[in-house]
Amino acid sequence: MANENEIDLSVNFCGINLSNPVFTASGTCGYSDELSDFMDINALGGFITKSITVKPRMGNPTPRIVETDSGMLNAIGLANIGLDAFIDQKLGALNDLCPIVFVNVAGESIEEYKQVCQELSYRREIAGFEVNISCPNVSRGGISFGTEPKVVEEIISEVKKVSGDKILMVKLSPSVTNICEIARAALEGGADALSLINTFTSMVIDIHSRRPVLANRTGGLSGPAIKPIAVYLVNKVYTEVTKETDVPILATGGVRNASDVVEFLLAGATAVGVGTWNFVEPDVTMKIIEGLKKYCAREGVNKIKELIGSLEAD
Amino acid sequence: MTENNSEVKKGKFNGIVHGNERIGEKFYRLGFDVNGEGGSLLSGFKPGQFVQLQVSRAGIPPDKVIPSALSDVSQRDIILRRPFSFCNIEVRENSTLCEILYCVLGPSTLRMTTLSGGDTVSVIGPLGNGFWLPDGRKKVVLVAGGIGAAPLEFAGKYLTKNHSDIEVIVFAGAKTVNELPFEGKLDDISQNLGYSLAVFARYGIESKIATDDGSAGFKGTVLECFQQWYKQTDWETGEIVIYGCGPEAMLAKLSEIAGKEAIDCQVSMERRMACGIGVCQSCAVECKTPDSAKHENKLCCEDGPVFDSREVVFKI
Ligand SMILES: Cc1cc2nc3c(=O)[nH]c(=O)nc-3n(C[C@H](O)[C@H](O)[C@H](O)COP(=O)(O)OP(=O)(O)OC[C@H]3O[C@@H](n4cnc5c(N)ncnc54)[C@H](O)[C@@H]3O)c2cc1C
Ligand SMILES: Cc1cc2nc3c(=O)[nH]c(=O)nc-3n(C[C@H](O)[C@H](O)[C@H](O)COP(=O)(O)O)c2cc1C
Ligand code: FES
């Protein structure tokens, strides 16, 4: 068995060397140091902020969450402090961090995405943007930007123009007919990395009141319930779209331990995000990093990179 | 009691259960000890603050003891922690004894009933901001609806132990006698006012109970009971502060009454919480701002759960 402390957990993400492949996912770890009572943000491979829009947003009415078996639905409605407050109050704490920092960007129009990216494009605190294309497109009656390949390509190419040298990562929605088409459209538009998956649109009904539990009627399903679907989609996009390129995949969906991370690496992910489980165990990412060392030591893996996309063929 | 707790460190700790006593049909009192760093952090716990309790690994009671309304619900897996306030803490030399008074309502609280001496529970805390004592207030009126009595029991103890010059009275109400979370044969109590609730009487606090159907104490709502008392008390409005905890509709009315009488009033709000630590944004409480045309959302877990009642836009 190899020595745990000699194991190399580093991975290369768009040319940047990360100390390990573990990220915290957007909307589950605040804007910067909110979880610092529970974990050391500097021990992470990557950190992704809550979605930022130009203006502050109050979000949806409550109830905004409901628990289901092995998962939860959320309809937060992109509640956030807005771009100016983010720059004034939060950006400073992101300076000089070890993990690669992405700002998750949301909007109701292509212009809004561009404005957020443009204003942050020269900030040295961040390495890149994670573009959340699962937002409702107001000019098209609220259907999600992320469902139409043409729209995805347009949005990414427009954002690319104003993003300077920042890494552009596109976060894909799983609620689409063919995720590979959307992934290709994002790459056509100039994406440097892909992030998948966001939550699945779902509904829970209260059988006493005979109404949906969430005030928004529907919400996004996350947590362990979605993990097998996420593994499948990551593997599909990896084998059909990114394998022959140098575009890395950040995989997210239902991760709660090191074994889950290894599964995603085998499926083709370069890095793995933890979302919902931060709520349950806010120190989970620290435990996962330790768990990865133990897994590698047990299995005789010296460099975790070797696992990426190494799923055995039949 | 301070208004802002956000600088106090939070943590995740294990507690060792030492008791889980049934009170009436639906209520239990869970006691556990937290040692070490957790014990010392929780020793500063203020009434109205809360913890996020993890009980997903606790067992499910045998089918025959599960109330029929919960038999389907009992099959649900739990992943999220659940928020609970403490009804009492006792600070000891090497540990803090914490007590939760809870009502069995769904999958987590059903599982909690199976905890017994020696079991381990995981808690995250202390969370949120508790009740506070505004300058000049010397009389505290506790108004509890149902299980809302839990944090107010601790408030009664905290106030009387830490302030010799403060007077406290409690009004506790429910639809019917079985829904009052207290020990003893409450329906035997004939007097409307006195020291009928032992958990308050032990701190010299007068209590008054109300039931909608008159099965114990005053017949009517706890708010009617409070209003009747308020008409004839010699406590001055300017020295009173009300602490309310209960269903949101009750708090909304309490806030309206307090507003009309110009009494200071604080309410403990409840929202569904995923994290309890300010990162998921699920627990929004709509609040008024100085600019009357604009409202903002505050977080129940971080900015509350206790709010000044004038600030809250109640959802009823
Ligand atoms: C700050 C705070 C302090 C609390 N302190 C106590 C306490 O001291 N003692 C106690 O017994 N309970 C307390 N609660 C309530 C407690 O958290 C819930 O009863 C518990 O989560 C129920 O879990 P469950 O899995 O058993 O049932 P669930 O299935 O989660 O809920 C049971 C029922 O309650 C409803 N419900 C659940 N959560 C909420 C909510 N936040 N607001 C409105 N309705 C809801 C559900 O719709 C369902 O009908 C507190 C809640 C908060 C926010
Ligand atoms: C409460 C909550 C809020 C979220 N907010 C955002 C968000 O603002 N932007 C975004 O792109 N994804 C958001 N997500 C999605 C997560 O980043 C993640 O993609 C998804 O939850 C799946 O991972 P998980 O199963 O580990 O939670 C949110 C998820 C949850 C549960
Ligand atoms: S419960 Fe997550 S922010 Fe309040």
Side-chain angles (χ1 to χ4, degrees), chain B residues 85 138 142 167 204 248 262 285 292 303:
Chain B
S85 54
K138 298 269 177 243
L142 309 176
E167 264 190 280
E248 187 151 347
V285 174
S292 60
D303 305 310

Side-chain angles (χ1 to χ4, degrees), chain A residues 1 8 18-19 24 44 49 65-67 78 89 91 98-99 114-116 141 164 168 184 248 251 279 283 306:
Chain A
M1 205 159 93
D8 176 6
L18 309 181
S19 62
T24 47
L44 292 171
T49 70
I65 58 145
V66 57
E67 188 189 56
L78 298 174
Q89 298 160 25
L91 203 52
C98 305
K114 282 175 77 175
Q115 193 177 336
V116 176
L168 204 54
R184 279 189 207 101
F279 304 154
D283 54 353
E306 295 163 14

Side-chain angles (χ1 to χ4, degrees), chain B residues 194-206:
Chain B
Y195 293 85
S196 48
L197 296 176
V199 287
F200 291 99
R202 73 170 68 115
Y203 309 115
I205 297 172
E206 257 182 312

